[in-house]
Amino acid sequence: YEEAVKWYENAYKLNPNSPTVIANYAQMLQITQQYEKSNQIYAAYLKLNPDSKMGINQQKATVNTAPFLETKD
């Protein structure tokens, strides 16, 4: 996933207004637990798509990461 982050970061620099690029970049950041940066990128996505339920929910998930980080013993 780290390699995908680099690719999407480059794509984002080339296409900063592409909702698809932004959403995929934010998701890769989220998967690699780069939550603060992911939150920022989701914010950029929501500027383009303010009513996107996916964007709203995913941005919330980057702030409230505890449920995703808990391990079941």
Side-chain angles (χ1 to χ4, degrees), residues 10 21 60 73:
N10 288 332
V21 169
K60 286 178 185 176
D73 293 329

Side-chain angles (χ1 to χ4, degrees), residues 4-61:
V5 169
K6 292 176 190 176
W7 282 99
Y8 279 115
E9 182 177 22
N10 288 332
Y12 178 61
K13 288 177 184 177
L14 295 171
N15 303 294
N17 295 313
S18 168
T20 302
V21 169
I22 295 170
N24 289 337
Y25 180 35
Q27 185 177 29
M28 285 299 110
L29 290 166
Q30 191 173 5
I31 288 169
T32 56
Q33 299 182 0
Q34 298 178 57
Y35 300 116
E36 186 174 327
K37 182 70 174 177
S38 178
N39 184 284
Q40 294 170 0
I41 301 301
Y42 277 123
Y45 177 83
L46 288 170
K47 284 182 183 178
L48 297 173
N49 297 294
D51 297 324
S52 169
K53 291 182 189 213
M54 181 280 302
I56 293 167
N57 290 334
Q58 291 300 95
Q59 187 181 38
K60 286 178 185 176

